Amino acid sequence: MWSLIAPISSLLSGVALLLLGNGLLNTLLTLRGVAEGYSTTMLGLIMSGYFVGFLLGTWLAAPLVRRIGHIRAFACCAALAAIAALLHLLLVDPWVWLGLRVLYGLALVTLYMVVESWLNAQTPGEQRGRVFAVYMAVNLGALALAQQLLHLADPVQFTLFALAAILISAALMPITLTRQVQPSLPEAPRSNLLQLWRIAPLAIAAAGLSGLALGGFWGMAPVYASLAGFDASGVGLMMTATILGGALLQWPIGLYSDSRDRRWVLLWVVALAAGMALLLSLLPAGNALLMAIFVWGGLAFAIYPIAVAQLIDQLHKDEILAGSSGLLMVNGIGAVCGPLLAGLLMEHLGAAALPLYFAVTLGLLAAYCLYRLRHVSDLVSGDAAHFVPMLRTSPTVLELMPDAPSPEPCDTEESPTHAS
């Protein structure tokens, strides 16, 4: 394992520090917004700004990296992210925060793209799947650990904002000190969403609706926990429980889906997640809620990777990168809308509106799964895909997936056309 990790240790260290700061800041902002008296609608809009910037950055990041190189792009965007973190404290205004969240999201997706394209270049083809697994474990572990940093100080104080900025800045050190040769960034594969919908509508629906649900979670779950009666430490504990559930339960769910009709597995996962969300709406703050949201996180975090595997089942080998990139875009669009919709509902119905929002969103997906199972037979092209636990990051990470082909110049301009 060390022989696998050692060549990329600087990249993994950088992303771990980055996500410690990012995970802390994302939760901290919602708690500070609640303390400032911002409405849940306003908080939802602010948190949607991050996903807007993230989505815009998927188009803007690559030209920047090609122009100034990986290390300079990383340094530039890490500085921008750290500055944005501190400006949230110095300029406490909801509309200023909205603009800062857009800039911050744009910076973050560029940082992801730098690290992930570098990992692609440094990883031999036969080790790609293992490196992908290690990278996702670092992502989830850092995000879970970041929530525990909320114990260190009060969200209304300067300390936690400064710590988030310090961690983001510290991510610069292992990246800028690396002796690894900077790679070239290949052209991003082009996706045709209309063609994707014709080929794999269930995968597209699952990606979009899971984006709606998890976008609402990342944006509004700390607000929900605070309104439900948790203090700042309790909010961090609830977020940690959800992320750990997502990390630990994805793998057995995915292994099961590899040996069964993936549509049935998706139906049961989504239906159970919707049922757990209904249960969450009835539970008060306490251990029972923490256990329930642990299970909900394990189910909800598995939906997007199941959708990716379902899509790959129906694509030819040379269509996988373009198709997966399109699925990532649909998921990102859902994530943009999620916090705003959840915030609007919480404004009128209170804290319980968030789990009810999860239940409705995932219930719609379950209904569509059932319709597809009863009325449509999905075609499988070639060998079945392998489920891989994953988070939505930048499109560049898709090249690390075990089922993805090694990107070649002749493949980068193709889009999915038809699965036989």
Side-chain angles (χ1 to χ4, degrees):
M1 179 60 72
W2 176 245
S3 64
L4 173 70
I5 294 175
I8 56 174
S9 58
S10 59
L11 299 174
L12 295 178
S13 300
V15 82
L17 290 166
L18 174 66
L19 288 176
L20 280 172
N22 178 53
L24 171 61
L25 181 65
N26 286 346
T27 306
L28 177 61
L29 282 178
T30 53
L31 294 178
R32 180 59 185 268
V34 170
E36 293 293 333
Y38 296 165
S39 69
T40 54
T41 301
M42 189 70 237
L43 284 170
L45 181 61
I46 289 169
M47 302 314 289
S48 290
Y50 169 80
F51 295 107
V52 170
F54 206 93
L55 201 56
L56 291 174
T58 60
W59 292 290
L60 300 177
L64 176 66
V65 175
R66 291 193 185 96
R67 180 181 179 186
I68 63 176
H70 283 65
I71 290 178
R72 288 179 180 177
F74 193 95
C76 173
C77 290
L80 178 60
I83 290 168
L86 294 175
L87 284 177
H88 283 95
L89 182 62
L90 298 177
L91 302 172
V92 184
D93 178 90
W95 296 105
V96 173
W97 278 21
L98 175 59
L100 290 173
R101 292 304 286 165
V102 174
L103 286 175
Y104 184 82
L106 200 155
L108 255 290
V109 75
T110 307
L111 296 172
Y112 272 125
M113 186 171 288
V114 167
V115 171
E116 290 165 3
S117 63
W118 218 328
L119 283 174
N120 283 326
Q122 296 295 324
T123 304
E126 65 276 7
Q127 295 181 343
R128 189 168 51 190
R130 284 178 289 171
V131 168
F132 183 91
V134 169
Y135 177 67
M136 285 300 159
V138 170
N139 272 255
L140 286 163
L143 287 172
L145 181 59
Q147 311 309 311
Q148 298 308 303
L149 299 178
L150 292 167
H151 291 274
L152 300 179
D154 193 304
V156 300
Q157 297 176 350
F158 176 79
T159 306
L160 292 178
F161 285 90
L163 179 58
I166 288 169
L167 288 168
I168 293 169
S169 300
L172 277 163
M173 292 188 289
I175 300 297
T176 55
L177 290 175
T178 184
R179 293 181 293 176
Q180 301 287 350
V181 177
Q182 296 184 71
S184 59
L185 191 67
E187 291 291 330
R190 296 178 181 177
S191 301
N192 185 322
L193 294 184
L194 182 59
Q195 288 291 86
L196 273 182
W197 175 259
R198 291 171 180 167
I199 294 169
L202 181 57
I204 292 290
L209 289 169
S210 70
L212 274 174
L214 285 177
F217 166 77
W218 290 116
M220 301 305 295
V223 181
Y224 159 75
S226 181
L227 294 177
F230 285 108
D231 59 12
S233 297
V235 172
L237 186 59
M238 193 200 80
M239 295 294 290
T240 300
T242 314
I243 296 167
L244 286 178
L248 297 177
L249 299 186
Q250 276 193 67
W251 186 252
I253 291 171
L255 285 178
Y256 185 76
S257 77
D258 283 345
S259 60
R260 299 292 189 277
D261 185 334
R262 219 179 297 270
R263 297 173 302 161
W264 278 106
V265 177
L266 181 61
L267 172 61
W268 283 109
V269 167
V270 172
L272 288 172
M276 290 304 299
L278 287 174
L279 178 62
L280 288 172
S281 69
L282 302 174
L283 294 174
N287 290 334
L289 188 147
L290 291 175
M291 289 187 288
I293 205 163
F294 173 89
V295 176
W296 181 85
L299 296 166
F301 276 54
I303 296 171
Y304 174 67
I306 289 177
V308 173
Q310 169 74 8
L311 176 74
I312 294 174
D313 284 342
Q314 299 176 257
L315 295 180
H316 294 302
K317 190 77 170 177
D318 59 351
E319 298 171 331
I320 289 174
L321 288 178
S324 301
S325 182
L327 208 65
L328 187 68
M329 185 187 305
V330 171
N331 186 260
I333 292 170
V336 168
C337 302
L340 181 56
L341 290 175
L344 283 168
L345 289 172
M346 293 172 73
E347 183 80 17
H348 295 94
L349 301 177
L354 184 64
L356 289 175
Y357 164 78
F358 295 152
V360 171
T361 303
L362 298 176
L364 288 172
L365 179 56
Y368 186 62
C369 286
L370 188 59
Y371 167 79
R372 295 285 303 180
L373 280 163
R374 288 187 171 182
H375 298 284
V376 182
S377 296
D378 287 340
L379 298 176
V380 175
S381 176
D383 296 330
H386 300 287
F387 176 97
V388 285
M390 64 188 302
L391 288 173
R392 176 182 45 80
T393 58
S394 83
T396 312
V397 80
L398 300 172
E399 298 173 16
L400 273 174
M401 291 192 309
D403 289 299
S406 299
E408 298 177 4
C410 61
D411 291 331
T412 56
E413 298 297 321
E414 295 186 17
S415 61
T417 54
H418 179 69
S420 59

